[in-house]
Structure formats: C-alpha cells, structure tokens
Amino acid sequence: MDMKPVIVVHGGAWAIPDNLAESSKLGVRDAATCGFSILVNGGSSLQAVEAAVQILEDNIAFDAGHGAVLNADGEVELDAIIMDGKNLAVGAVSCIKNIANPIMFARTIMEQTPHVMLTGSGANKFAEKMNIEKVPTEELVTENAIKEWEQYQRYKQSVTSLFNTERMHDTVGAVAIDSMGNISCATSTGGITNKMVGRVGDSPIIGSGAYADNFTGAVSTTGHGESIMKVTLARQVLFNMEKGESPQCAAEHALEYMKNKVHGRGGLIVVSKSGEWAASFTTKRMAWACAENKILSYGLNPGENFQEKINM
Ligand code: ASP
C-alpha cells in the first residue's frame, strides 16, 4: 500500500491564556513537523505519534510531562495512552509520578506486558525495572503550574468552577496514518489542576482519551475528562464515521452530543483510513496542527487555519 502520510497533533482545549498562545502554536507546529518527517522517511504511525507527543511532553507550554498541573496535594500525577490501529494493541499508564515521558512508558507497557494499563506505585515499580529514567518532581513543575494551583488553594475554588478560566492549559495528543495505511494515536496529560489525589481522567482510558483502528481511523481527545468518559468520546467519533460521516461531521456531532448529554466541553483530532482529518473543539481555544503533502496547517481560535510549506 502507498498511502499519503498525515499527522495531526493537539496541545489541549479550553481557554489557553494569551501568554501561552504563541508558545502553544509553535509547540504543536514543531511536534507535527517532527512526526511528519518520521512518516515521510518511512517511519510508522506509532513512531510518529510517540515522537510528537514526547516533544509536547517536553514543552512546558503544555499540561503533560514537563509543565503538568498539580493535584490537591500539590503533586504531579500523570496519565497517558498509546494505541496501534493495526492490531488494537494498547498501552496506558495512570497516576504515575517522576516520569518525564509517560508516552514512552505507555508504549513499553504495550510491548512488554500482557496488560493494557498500569497505575500508581505498581507502574512506577515497573518503570524502575525497565530502566525508565526517573526525574525529581521539581523538574516537572513549572511556575505557571504553581501559580494556578495557589489560586485554587487561595479561593478554595472547585475544579469545575475554574474550568473555563483564562489560566487553563492542557493535555497533548497525536493521530497519524503512515504510508502502509497503519493508523495510531497517543494522548498524554497531567490532568486538571487541584484534582483529587488518585483521580484518573479520560486521557489514559481506551475509547475515551484515544482510540485507533485501521478499519476506521484514530482519535485523540482533550477537555473535561469526566464528561469525555461518560460518552466515550473517541470511540463515539469512530462510530459516527462507521455510519458514513466525514471526520469533520463525526467530530462535530460527537462533541455536540457530549455538550447536550452531559454539558461537557472539549476538543479532538481525528484522521480517517483514507487520510482525511479534522480538528474540532467546543471550548474557547484548542492548539492544533496537521502536516500532510509538505503543508503544515495550524490554528488556535475557532475557524483559524493558517498554512505554510514544510521545509525538509
Ligand atoms: N482531559 C484531561 C483530563 O480530564 C484534561 C484536558 O484534556 O483538559 O484529565
């Protein structure tokens, strides 16, 4: 098979504050460009989504890896998932600490264990066994994350009441199709500020935070995790496509459904088995970028679609 490779990435939904707008746009463009160069050089979609998400985890503009938000105890607990649409192999981690690139670890779980997800201290124990590098919490925590956390503490605001503020920055994800027609997805997050200790959101949950199946396509989501889980948002998009909807319609309908059914907002990226793609959101903003045919498209505000040539 000789498919046209495509990668789409997101840097999270919600109201990305103006002071993070430029770095968010730059971050998703870098990640999409890197993933695309892997694809055009014959790499697999799995390699491309892992590399793109790793770049976003290393970028402090985003709530994943470095830059992750803090839980109620002021600690970092990370969630991630990676899925291979060729054989529905999947690896996920939840509530892990002191690991800078949870997506790499999720892939290790997918490839080196008979399980789908490891959590908490057991996951950290397995990371040690697999020689996954451990980093001190302080290395992952940014000034922004501390400021945001202090604000919650000061005003004792609930997680939901602050969900639409200017301060939120967010989860990262990627979906891709390679020249062999194989489709993959990856999502990684620090969750939501001031979450209860031990809270796990949608991101590492198969069918909610992500899903990939060569038969239809791949999705990575972001937004209010409790709502996303209730409607299994990622799988919902693919169900819509299996009924004949385009990726754009399928995405819009699934997000609309979540809004009507559970009053939840969010965003998502999707790629289909024929390389059609969409980036859609019902929040104020979502940083996204797509690379295909040596063209990089990207946006942050509703309706935005900037384009530039990829020099490679
Ligand atoms: N969905 C993530 C969570 O609820 C956060 C986000 O994407 O904003 O953990």
Side-chain angles (χ1 to χ4, degrees):
M1 206 187 298
D2 203 11
M3 285 291 302
K4 168 194 82 168
V6 181
I7 182 162
V8 193
V9 309
H10 72 77
W14 299 113
I16 298 158
D18 287 341
N19 67 336
L20 285 179
E22 272 317 302
S23 51
S24 296
K25 273 196 264 185
L26 206 62
V28 289
R29 282 157 68 196
D30 279 352
T33 307
C34 162
F36 188 66
S37 79
I38 291 174
L39 292 173
V40 294
N41 287 307
S44 69
S45 58
L46 199 64
Q47 284 171 314
V49 295
E50 183 188 0
V53 165
Q54 211 172 310
I55 286 179
L56 295 164
E57 285 175 338
D58 291 342
N59 187 329
I60 60 166
F62 305 106
D63 169 21
H66 296 267
V69 299
L70 308 181
N71 69 15
D73 279 0
E75 288 172 358
V76 173
E77 288 180 325
L78 303 167
D79 303 331
I81 187 170
I82 190 162
M83 185 164 184
D84 184 344
K86 188 168 61 205
N87 50 8
L88 306 193
V90 58
V93 278
S94 59
C95 267
I96 50 158
K97 293 182 177 177
N98 305 104
I99 288 181
N101 294 115
I103 204 64
M104 198 200 282
F105 185 35
R107 184 164 175 188
T108 307
I109 290 167
M110 177 174 101
E111 291 173 346
Q112 308 287 334
T113 81
H115 304 304
V116 163
M117 185 192 285
L118 292 184
T119 194
S121 59
N124 274 99
K125 226 185 254 176
F126 181 63
E128 246 167 66
K129 189 172 160 203
M130 299 309 286
N131 292 323
I132 303 269
E133 195 196 344
K134 223 174 145 182
V135 293
T137 304
E138 310 81 72
E139 202 178 291
L140 301 176
V141 176
T142 59
E143 253 172 59
N144 252 341
I146 294 173
K147 259 194 229 151
E148 196 167 284
W149 181 79
E150 283 173 349
Q151 209 131 9
Y152 276 82
Q153 299 298 310
R154 197 167 321 131
Y155 299 111
K156 297 262 176 286
Q157 276 161 308
S158 74
V159 170
T160 30
S161 72
L162 262 182
F163 235 103
N164 255 329
T165 69
E166 294 299 313
R167 288 183 297 280
M168 298 303 294
H169 64 144
D170 233 354
T171 299
V172 304
V175 295
I177 181 165
D178 59 36
S179 57
M180 302 297 289
N182 287 319
I183 301 175
S184 304
C185 62
T187 305
S188 180
T189 190
I192 49 183
T193 299
N194 212 32
K195 62 185 180 182
M196 284 175 71
V197 175
R199 178 262 189 190
V200 176
D202 61 300
S203 304
I205 307 295
I206 186 168
S208 293
Y211 201 84
D213 184 349
N214 278 7
F215 181 72
T216 316
V219 178
S220 168
T221 69
T222 167
H224 186 233
E226 282 67 13
S227 302
I228 292 173
M229 283 188 277
K230 287 174 188 168
V231 300
T232 56
L233 185 64
R235 199 62 190 83
Q236 190 60 52
V237 176
L238 297 180
F239 284 138
N240 292 347
M241 285 162 63
E242 283 156 12
K243 285 189 292 190
E245 293 185 7
S246 68
Q248 184 66 43
C249 284
E252 284 172 13
H253 287 157
L255 287 167
E256 198 59 31
Y257 177 75
M258 182 167 84
K259 197 155 81 184
N260 295 336
K261 195 82 182 175
V262 294
H263 309 293
R265 285 174 190 272
L268 61 91
I269 49 173
V270 49
V271 69
S272 78
K273 66 176 176 191
S274 58
E276 262 188 284
W277 62 274
S280 191
F281 51 100
T282 49
T283 48
K284 188 172 163 194
R285 286 173 160 169
M286 182 180 82
W288 64 269
C290 170
E292 61 173 341
N293 298 327
K294 295 203 179 167
I295 299 287
L296 186 68
S297 315
Y298 63 95
L300 181 78
N301 295 303
E304 261 176 15
N305 188 343
F306 301 110
Q307 297 201 331
E308 62 193 49
K309 244 180 113 77
I310 301 174
N311 295 315
M312 37 191 343

